[in-house]
Amino acid sequence: QFVLLAPKPTSASRLLRYTAGWSRAWAEDAVWALLTEVLRRLGPGMVDPSRLYVTGLSLGACGSWNLALRFGERLAACAPVSGSPSGHP
């Protein structure tokens, strides 16, 4: 059994931000707030917090990298596909 959270990055949902160069990037604080709220609502018996994984493709990979850089001590693994952390080539 598992729980899958797949947020859609839009500026209206506040999960997407624009960088100084007007490129799109995930708002990692908002994504982490969404994740922790979902965990809180599910309750401690539904999700093992030591088994949190993030992955993403393209822009999602950039977000995965940035989540791992920011909140890596709370994640079991990160598997980005075809993307780099924001601000890195």
Side-chain angles (χ1 to χ4, degrees):
Q1 187 173 3
F2 64 92
V3 175
L4 174 68
L5 177 63
K8 182 175 181 179
T10 65
S11 52
S13 68
R14 301 198 193 289
L15 297 177
L16 186 67
R17 62 181 169 80
Y18 289 91
T19 65
W22 289 100
S23 61
R24 298 180 311 159
W26 281 92
E28 292 82 18
D29 288 335
V31 174
W32 191 256
L34 173 64
L35 173 64
T36 55
E37 179 61 18
V38 169
L39 294 175
R40 187 189 69 76
R41 289 182 185 201
L42 289 173
M46 288 295 294
V47 178
D48 180 355
S50 69
R51 296 175 64 192
L52 297 178
Y53 305 92
V54 296
T55 188
L57 176 66
S58 191
L59 182 61
C62 297
S64 298
W65 275 115
N66 291 332
L67 279 173
L69 289 169
R70 186 97 186 257
F71 303 104
E73 71 280 356
R74 298 181 180 141
L75 299 172
C78 176
V81 181
S82 298
S84 62
S86 296
H88 302 291

